[in-house]
Amino acid sequence: MPDQDTELTLSKEAAASMAENSTNEMPAQNPDQAASEASPIPRAEFDQLKTERDQLLDRLARLQAEFENARKRADRDKIANRDYAVGDVVEKFLPVLDHFEMALKSTGTADQLRSGVELIVKQMEDVLRQLNVTAIPALGTEFDPRHHEALGSVERPDLPDQHVAEEIRRGYKLRDKLLRPALVRVASNPKQKSE
């Protein structure tokens, strides 16, 4: 009966022979991978890898928490900035509101009340101008569906066809962004249609 050392040697030789035969049939494996599958990892190396893994998992958890905190902080900053902007706008309109209240308490004549309201409207237009809000020109201009909303048409021989004959509600834009279209009635000129 052969001894165990001989069997062990034979099995290593058989494994090497099988590995050579299998390289012709299967794709080549990484030598480190083959070595790690063939032999167990020493305990010290295993403990070191486990420690590295634990450190990486801890680092990942910290990064995820940091990311979540940054997202929450960005949301809070966004809300704070919006509140600041709204507060700034409201502050500019408070004097206008004060003047409306004074007009309501006024005991003057209708003409005095009218001139007071006209001054308040002028003050409000100044505030809007400070905020870069401008009125959309409408009356007498050519109808533009991007800036005007047609409420109907009016037969007007004195105006060109498809021009704004009447402005019902003024439209506004903030710089180039449309806030609301002007509500208008469009002129219909039968003389120009027939030509």
Side-chain angles (χ1 to χ4, degrees), residues 8-194:
L8 187 59
T9 307
L10 286 176
S11 67
K12 284 183 181 177
E13 289 174 6
S17 171
M18 287 174 55
E20 285 180 33
N21 291 339
S22 68
T23 56
N24 295 338
E25 298 169 7
M26 293 182 3
Q29 286 184 334
N30 185 352
D32 294 335
Q33 184 182 4
S36 67
E37 290 175 3
S39 63
I41 298 174
R43 183 72 182 167
E45 189 177 340
F46 176 78
D47 290 341
Q48 180 186 0
L49 290 172
K50 186 176 177 188
T51 303
E52 281 182 39
R53 183 206 62 189
D54 291 344
Q55 288 173 346
L56 289 173
L57 287 174
D58 182 57
R59 186 174 170 203
L60 175 65
R62 289 177 189 272
L63 286 173
Q64 286 175 332
E66 191 176 317
F67 176 76
E68 187 65 25
N69 289 339
R71 188 186 62 75
K72 288 177 183 176
R73 188 171 43 251
D75 288 344
R76 281 193 309 268
D77 289 347
K78 186 176 168 185
I79 291 169
N81 288 339
R82 187 177 329 144
D83 290 348
Y84 179 76
V86 168
D88 191 40
V89 170
V90 168
E91 185 179 348
K92 291 180 180 181
F93 277 104
L94 289 178
V96 176
L97 180 62
D98 293 339
H99 289 130
F100 271 121
E101 288 174 350
M102 285 191 301
L104 288 173
K105 292 176 186 175
S106 168
T107 57
T109 65
D111 288 337
Q112 290 172 335
L113 187 60
R114 180 178 177 81
S115 65
V117 171
E118 286 173 353
L119 288 173
I120 295 172
V121 169
K122 184 180 179 319
Q123 183 183 19
M124 185 169 262
E125 287 172 345
D126 289 342
V127 171
L128 290 174
R129 202 172 7 266
Q130 289 173 9
L131 297 171
N132 294 312
V133 176
T134 56
I136 296 172
L139 200 57
T141 63
E142 187 174 359
F143 177 76
D144 182 355
R146 294 174 296 160
H147 297 116
H148 304 132
E149 182 178 336
L151 187 62
S153 64
V154 180
E155 194 169 305
R156 293 278 302 266
D158 60 322
L159 287 174
D161 194 41
Q162 295 300 311
H163 278 62
V164 176
E166 184 182 342
E167 182 180 56
I168 297 162
R169 185 187 69 197
R170 191 179 281 179
Y172 292 94
K173 60 183 178 176
L174 174 67
R175 291 188 177 89
D176 291 331
K177 181 185 177 215
L178 180 69
L179 295 176
R180 80 171 187 199
L183 194 59
V184 299
R185 282 197 172 85
V186 182
S188 172
N189 191 333
K191 292 180 186 176
Q192 285 188 346
K193 284 183 182 176
S194 63

